[in-house]
Amino acid sequence: MIGRLRDGSVMWAMRRTMRWMWAATVPLLLTVTGTWVWTWSWAVAWAEDPPPPPATVPAIGRAWPVGVRPPVLRGWEPPATVYGPGHRGVDLGAAPGAEVRAVAAGRVFFAGRVAGRGVVSVRLAGTDLRTTYEPVTAQVEKGEQVAAGQVVGTVEPGAHCGASTCVHWGLLRGDVYVDPLLLLPPWLLNGGPSRLLPVLGVPLPEG
């Protein structure tokens, strides 16, 4: 009888210990699993992290990079994710040797070659923005101050636009690309500067 009681006590103690271990293990497994799921979800979210919303870009442009109103061969196509496909700039049709001008005043941030292609970058005065132009044969040097409309180089023939020659015009805030067309005010984006025309029936001033 005593042996049976002892055996029962032992079994009861073992069952109690197993219950305690199970009660302690389940929350631990849930915690570890939850941590793993959270870590995996965070990794996926990081990999698919969309680009930050576009910040305000001041319309300080005073000239197109090339021509008066060049054709846009390919527009701004923001990527769905930070490293996703897209078109981080605007391709403007231009003839080889055409002058490339600074859209706004600033200081030359870079002038040289990258992967065999000529690049000019200008940090815009009073902003945290910088423009890029390529492929371009630079006529300015790093650190040089440039005015809006000043020639910074000439268009190089290249394969960026296939059979057509173009200038790829980009705009960056830090390491994030934004739409360079936002730099242009409406009068420049949609046409040319306003001109005063004579009013019918009102004589022109003499002299």
Side-chain angles (χ1 to χ4, degrees), residues 106-112 120-123 140-146 150:
R107 187 178 298 275
V108 178
F109 179 77
F110 178 84
V120 173
S121 178
V122 177
R123 186 180 295 278
V140 291
E141 297 180 354
K142 181 179 179 179
E144 183 176 340
Q145 193 77 27
V146 295
Q150 179 178 334

Side-chain angles (χ1 to χ4, degrees), residues 177-202:
Y177 283 89
V178 291
D179 186 357
L181 291 176
L182 296 175
L183 284 173
L184 302 182
W187 64 265
L188 190 57
L189 185 63
N190 302 322
S194 301
R195 293 182 300 170
L196 295 177
L197 299 176
V199 180
L200 296 178
V202 178

Side-chain angles (χ1 to χ4, degrees), residues 75-97:
W76 164 253
E77 300 170 12
T81 61
V82 175
Y83 301 105
H87 193 236
R88 297 165 172 82
V90 173
D91 292 338
L92 304 176

